[in-house]
Amino acid sequence: MRPLRRHATTLILVALAAAAAVALLVLDRGSVSTDEAERRKKHLIEAWRPDEITELTVTMAAPGAPRTARLTRGEVDDAGQRPWNVEIDGQRYPADEPTVDQLLGTLEFATAERRVSAEASDPAALGLASPRLSIALAMGPRRERLLLGGGSPTPPGAVYAEVAGRGVFVITKQLASALDVAPDRFRSRSFVPYVAAELSGLTLDGDGGSRRFSRAPWGGGRGAGFRFAEGSPEGSGVRVSAPALDLVLSALGRMQAEDFLSEEEAQQAAASGGPRVTLTLEPSDPAAKRGVIDVGGACPGRPDHVVAARREPARAVACVPASVLEPLTEEASRFVDHALVAAPLDEVAEVKLAAGERSLELARAGGEWHLRAPQDRPVPTETGRALVQAILDVRATRLLPGASDLAALGLASPRTTLRVVSTPPGAVAEGEPQERIETLEIGAEQAGVVHVRRLEDGAIAEIPALAAGALLPSEVSLRSMKVFDFTPDQVIALRIERPGLVQRLRRTGEGAWRLVEPTGEGLAADSGLADELAELLAGLQAERWIAEDAGPSYGLGAPRLVVEAELDPAPEPGGGSTGAATRAARVALGARAGAGSFARAGDGAAVFVAPPALEAAAGRLLLRRDVFLVPPHEIARVTLAPRGAKPVVIERSPEGFTIAGAAVQASAAALAASVRDALADLRAESAVALGEPERHHGLSPPRLRVTVELSRPQAAPGEESAAVPPRAPTGSFTIAIGAGDAFRGTNVVYARRDGVRAVYAIAQSRVRPLLEAAGIAGD
């Protein structure tokens, strides 16, 4: 006991010192240090310690009674955040975090324009006895209170503000506006109680019928992880289309409350039109309540919004954007997944096709692809992507009931099995990415169709036999995408054959193109179109390789289009000719394959899909498109003769072009100039027919004849330069404008000019000035 007694005095002194330090620390927390006071001497709030802020109360004067929003900070959540909650009119809600953060930021940096002297600080005179806004802040042991009163004479729009314990100040109009936050704005705009990841099920009732979805065992992000719920007419467990359901989930994310409605306002809105859709959300957490939301009906004062009434788990009524309704009212059939494989390309990690002893196995590491079977070798990135994309692009024309007779559908002993392994983002189990495995069984061809069973959901898909080629193991699918290996300038001749028409063009010594076939008055080759086709052939890339043999179903027995390019012999390394025979490149296009076409190159039997650009370039007449162009300086007179109406004559004069006999020369000159400019820009989109026009061209008779008289003599027939359009030898020619139509996505009119035995399509925008000048623009 003696040692203890000897040190007792020391221990007591240490304890007293510690207690004093704790007391000093607690008392000091509420005080402002000299440094802090100096640093914030211009700020309204003397001290700012954001980590200690626990409560914020905003009271706003309102007719009848003030409205108050009391904000309190919660405990740290799983995300390491301390969320705010708000209490308004006795009801507690999650707070709108950005609005709270914005107000706190404004308070932190709020400064005064000037201080009001104590003698002039009469609360009643300055509007502070009954303030329009009161903000109270709890920050550790400190309590701050800010009041906004009436307007100050200077600066314009300024407001008196009182800070408890510090005095009265004048603040700017901008600061007062930033502090003036209505209590309702602190309420969270989020209206839907659960996000997609928290849902085990989702039901839509109303417009579009009843659509019930439930979480599927295969997982996947957002809409990829759902199937039709048990008892659905579409089939229990049938996979839901991820893109279609993603639109619904995105609509839920956009269902933000613009304005909250009172119950009286909600009843008035309901009387004007009831809800169109009822949304039921089933949370994955068994302890959580379901969410029920009625959507539809006019929102008061907001024509681009609709009413959303949340019945569960907590009652609320708000105006939400009307755009949320469209995906919520889609019929159930729009949600059926007709893709054989659901995984997107960027998530696919492995693909294995097996048919008996034949197999093809491809795996990806990062952005590179590697063939595992039948050989072990790397595969070009574009080739690997094309093979996988071809599989992903196969879609069912319809789905059959899962209980169908497998033997009758050729699925009792499938001819091929496809296995696709993918890694959905965010799917993690025990720290490792979770794999999704999709297996397909492919049956034999039956009457032009093939049946495929998706083991993931048991659905049986019916696909066209042509599409099944992508599901068969064939090394042809791993060929290089490059079909030909030559340069465009090696092409010296082109031959394009389609039923009823052969076109032949040959390159001249100057590099231009000469039309060999067809022949006819005024016909000449368009060098730009020929160059474009030569370039496409030289760089031709297969979209994907399909099959080793061109079976009859690919339409290559009688091709729709055959394109041949005659090539210069390859030059010797040191220059000069090798003396080798002229080479040729040939491609035949058969049946359509989506936007492209099934094709075969040269004498090879392998089938690939050619891009649509090849047919677009080779499937048109390669005739020059500038036959209607007229240089303005060559025009002497233009006569516009509408069908059944008086002609309009435009003449050149020393002052420029004008309309003959026009009363108002200023407007007539502008109209005449528009005709002049239109003739200089009258390039056709393409020639569309040879010889005489057909009835649908609307050229017999035309709705407008344009006669152009030229100011200089023209070349005799057959002497036209390749650089200028062929013209009539009389010094004038006529353009006939016919019916309107659409040509390759462009609104056009059919047109023809004398001296050229072809019908052309010209964009309507180029012809419009001529029609307007003739008074038939709306015809």
Side-chain angles (χ1 to χ4, degrees), residues 397-398 409 415 443-451 462-466 468:
T397 53
R398 63 175 182 142
L409 300 176
R415 61 167 168 166
E445 179 179 344
Q446 297 179 332
V449 300
V450 170
H451 294 98
E462 184 176 283
I463 64 173
L466 282 176

Side-chain angles (χ1 to χ4, degrees), residues 152-481:
S152 170
T154 58
V159 172
Y160 290 112
E162 181 180 359
V163 181
R166 297 197 66 198
V168 177
F169 302 85
V170 172
I171 64 174
T172 64
K173 175 184 178 181
Q174 291 76 18
L175 176 56
S177 177
L179 294 170
D180 201 356
V181 183
D184 278 337
R185 285 180 54 193
F186 291 104
R187 188 173 173 182
S188 174
R189 304 291 102 184
S190 296
F191 195 78
V192 179
Y194 306 110
V195 298
E198 299 171 328
L199 295 178
S200 65
L202 171 67
T203 300
L204 300 170
D205 286 304
D207 289 8
S210 179
R211 295 135 292 167
R212 295 184 291 128
F213 313 117
S214 62
R215 183 70 66 179
W218 51 78
R222 290 179 63 81
F226 285 84
R227 59 184 176 180
F228 282 94
E230 185 175 352
S232 295
E234 294 71 30
S236 298
V238 169
R239 196 169 68 205
V240 171
S241 167
L245 192 56
D246 278 345
L247 293 177
V248 171
L249 299 177
S250 295
L252 300 188
R254 297 197 312 275
M255 201 178 288
Q256 300 285 313
E258 294 294 330
D259 288 316
F260 287 98
L261 304 181
S262 66
E263 284 300 327
E264 181 181 354
E265 291 173 320
Q267 290 173 6
Q268 291 174 354
S272 66
R276 293 179 55 189
V277 177
T278 296
L279 182 67
T280 304
L281 308 173
E282 301 290 347
S284 302
D285 183 355
K289 295 182 179 180
R290 70 176 187 172
V292 180
I293 303 173
D294 296 323
V295 186
C299 198
R302 285 184 174 268
D304 55 346
H305 286 66
V306 293
V307 174
R310 188 176 63 212
R311 289 189 264 150
E312 300 178 38
R315 174 71 174 172
V317 185
C319 293
V320 300
S323 61
V324 304
L325 265 176
E326 184 176 352
L328 303 183
T329 56
E330 293 283 8
E331 295 182 353
S333 60
R334 298 292 296 272
F335 293 94
V336 177
D337 190 2
H338 287 85
L340 299 189
V341 177
L345 177 63
D346 292 340
E347 294 177 14
V348 175
E350 297 179 20
V351 172
K352 183 177 181 180
L353 285 159
E357 297 182 356
R358 297 180 63 191
S359 68
L360 188 149
E361 189 170 351
L362 193 67
R364 180 168 62 181
E368 304 297 321
W369 292 92
H370 195 93
L371 187 65
R372 291 177 176 171
Q375 306 168 4
D376 192 306
R377 62 178 175 86
V379 172
T381 300
E382 63 176 10
T383 302
R385 288 178 65 88
L387 184 150
V388 178
Q389 189 63 62
I391 293 172
L392 303 185
D393 286 343
V394 181
R395 301 182 62 82
T397 53
R398 63 175 182 142
L399 295 184
L400 306 182
S404 301
D405 185 346
L406 298 183
L409 300 176
L411 289 168
S413 299
R415 61 167 168 166
T416 307
T417 300
L418 168 64
R419 182 176 182 267
V420 177
V421 179
S422 59
T423 52
V428 178
E430 300 181 358
E432 295 293 328
Q434 185 177 355
E435 292 183 340
R436 178 181 184 178
I437 300 176
E438 299 180 67
T439 302
L440 305 179
E441 294 178 345
I442 297 98
E445 179 179 344
Q446 297 179 332
V449 300
V450 170
H451 294 98
V452 179
R453 183 160 67 140
R454 296 190 307 218
L455 298 191
E456 186 173 71
D457 63 349
I460 296 175
E462 184 176 283
I463 64 173
L466 282 176
L471 309 178
L472 304 176
S474 171
E475 283 193 79
V476 72
S477 58
L478 297 173
R479 285 188 178 188
S480 168
M481 296 293 103

Side-chain angles (χ1 to χ4, degrees), residues 642-714:
R643 184 171 53 209
K646 184 179 178 180
V648 176
V649 179
I650 297 169
E651 297 178 324
R652 176 195 289 276
S653 70
E655 292 76 27
F657 286 89
T658 187
I659 298 178
V664 183
Q665 287 301 318
S667 59
L671 197 60
S674 71
V675 172
R676 173 202 63 199
D677 295 341
L679 290 172
D681 190 42
L682 207 58
R683 178 179 293 274
E685 297 296 304
S686 178
V688 294
L690 295 171
E692 295 301 316
E694 299 178 17
R695 183 174 181 179
H696 72 277
H697 294 144
L699 291 164
S700 301
R703 59 171 166 164
L704 176 65
R705 290 188 186 275
V706 183
T707 301
V708 182
E709 297 179 43
L710 303 163
S711 60
R712 63 182 180 84
Q714 301 304 301

